[in-house]
Amino acid sequence: MKIALFPGSFDPITKAHVDILKRSLSLFDKIYVGIGTNSTKQSLMTIEQRLEMITAVFKDEPKLEMVAYEGLTVNFCKEIGASHMIRGIRTVSDFEYEKAIAQMNHSLIPEIESIFIVSKPGYSSISSTIVRDILRYGGDVSQFVPSAVLPFLK
């Protein structure tokens, strides 16, 4: 069974995240959507809210399981039996950042492979950070997040 982890803060999940996940489904038998705790980011939503939100977005997708975790992502992959980690790439700077992390992860646990999926051009400017900023200033984010997310942002 091919198992992957798609880690992130998902605060909130965006259309770009959804696109990467949907495009990954045919590659794996099971994908864990892992909400990692990141102490350097100021969260908009609690972990529980994010789990509920992502579950609402993917309620009809049996291959996905939403989980929260702490610690090194590569260690969590090993814990859940994931042989691959999925990462979305929007820009060249994303690639450089993700490449460095993938190389470190490979040094720590060589049997876990990082898979990079390049975002569609229309999604390359969408990030959870930008969506949070728009929300903080009362802007409309409906074009950047799935409609199932909107009730969680009120």
Side-chain angles (χ1 to χ4, degrees), residues 42-60:
Q42 184 181 5
S43 297
L44 176 72
M45 306 169 77
T46 67
I47 297 283
E48 294 76 20
Q49 289 170 321
R50 287 182 263 171
L51 285 168
E52 189 180 345
M53 172 188 58
I54 299 168
T55 301
V57 171
F58 290 104
K59 65 182 184 304
D60 297 323

Side-chain angles (χ1 to χ4, degrees), residues 100-116:
I101 291 174
Q103 290 170 331
M104 285 295 138
N105 286 339
H106 188 72
S107 295
L108 294 169
I109 304 179
E111 58 270 18
I112 297 180
E113 290 292 341
S114 294
I115 305 294
F116 299 143

Side-chain angles (χ1 to χ4, degrees), residues 84-103:
H84 294 81
M85 191 181 316
I86 301 165
R87 300 300 296 158
I89 303 290
R90 295 171 297 153
T91 63
V92 172
S93 60
D94 278 357
F95 175 74
E96 290 297 330
Y97 175 76
E98 294 295 344
K99 180 181 81 164
I101 291 174
Q103 290 170 331

Side-chain angles (χ1 to χ4, degrees), residues 11-141:
D11 187 32
I13 192 168
T14 68
K15 287 182 177 180
H17 293 126
V18 171
D19 175 61
I20 297 295
L21 269 168
K22 284 183 176 179
R23 292 167 50 208
S24 301
L25 286 170
S26 65
L27 303 173
F28 299 98
D29 300 307
K30 180 173 190 130
I31 300 174
Y32 288 91
V33 180
I35 301 172
T37 303
N38 187 336
S39 61
T40 63
K41 290 186 179 179
Q42 184 181 5
S43 297
L44 176 72
M45 306 169 77
T46 67
I47 297 283
E48 294 76 20
Q49 289 170 321
R50 287 182 263 171
L51 285 168
E52 189 180 345
M53 172 188 58
I54 299 168
T55 301
V57 171
F58 290 104
K59 65 182 184 304
D60 297 323
E61 184 44 66
K63 284 182 155 186
L64 296 181
E65 184 174 333
M66 290 34 129
V67 292
Y69 71 95
E70 286 187 61
L72 289 175
T73 302
V74 72
N75 287 344
F76 185 64
C77 282
K78 194 167 184 175
E79 185 180 315
I80 61 173
S83 57
H84 294 81
M85 191 181 316
I86 301 165
R87 300 300 296 158
I89 303 290
R90 295 171 297 153
T91 63
V92 172
S93 60
D94 278 357
F95 175 74
E96 290 297 330
Y97 175 76
E98 294 295 344
K99 180 181 81 164
I101 291 174
Q103 290 170 331
M104 285 295 138
N105 286 339
H106 188 72
S107 295
L108 294 169
I109 304 179
E111 58 270 18
I112 297 180
E113 290 292 341
S114 294
I115 305 294
F116 299 143
I117 298 182
V118 177
S119 73
K120 290 182 180 175
Y123 295 137
S124 64
S125 64
I126 301 173
S127 73
S128 293
T129 302
I130 292 171
V131 169
R132 282 193 308 274
D133 286 345
I134 294 168
L135 284 168
R136 281 189 183 104
Y137 293 102
D140 178 12
V141 297

